[in-house]
Amino acid sequence: MASNGDLKGVLVERLENAGVLNELRARIRAELLLAMDGKESKPPALSNENLLINELIRDYFVFNRYHSSCSVLVAEAGQPREPLDRDFLCRELRISPDQSAKPLCGR
């Protein structure tokens, strides 16, 4: 039978490989920063412009696999959990859509 230490190691490894552990750490970090600033954890209302800008930043983070940074951005900025559709983003920003895997801000 596996020990608790062995089970913990396997669990940590699986969560890290899935990117979940870094997201949890980033979320905790964001909440701690908000708590230390004395602010409530509810992010400010987003303007449409800021929503689009943040989505460009999110797209860049996802492209470069900056999952922790992306998680903090979503938590602190109050972005929707699911990213906006890339085609919608292209139309709104008047960027010509292509099917490449490049981030939108690099076009």
Side-chain angles (χ1 to χ4, degrees), residues 54-64 70 86 89 102-105:
N54 289 345
E55 282 299 316
L56 279 176
I57 296 168
R58 178 193 280 194
D59 185 70
Y60 172 80
F61 283 163
V62 168
F63 175 79
N64 287 292
C70 185
R86 287 185 106 213
L89 212 49
K102 287 193 263 183
L104 295 175
C105 62

Side-chain angles (χ1 to χ4, degrees), residues 38-99:
K39 299 176 185 174
E40 58 185 65
S41 64
K42 184 180 176 187
L46 281 174
S47 67
N48 290 339
E49 292 83 10
N50 282 349
L51 177 71
L52 294 175
I53 291 167
N54 289 345
E55 282 299 316
L56 279 176
I57 296 168
R58 178 193 280 194
D59 185 70
Y60 172 80
F61 283 163
V62 168
F63 175 79
N64 287 292
R65 298 181 185 157
Y66 300 152
H67 301 295
S68 296
S69 298
C70 185
S71 180
V72 170
L73 171 72
V74 170
E76 287 185 344
Q79 288 293 111
R81 283 196 134 331
E82 292 298 317
L84 296 177
D85 180 66
R86 287 185 106 213
D87 290 333
F88 171 78
L89 212 49
C90 287
R91 283 192 308 274
E92 288 296 307
L93 298 170
R94 295 181 181 99
I95 299 172
S96 60
D98 67 22
Q99 302 305 322

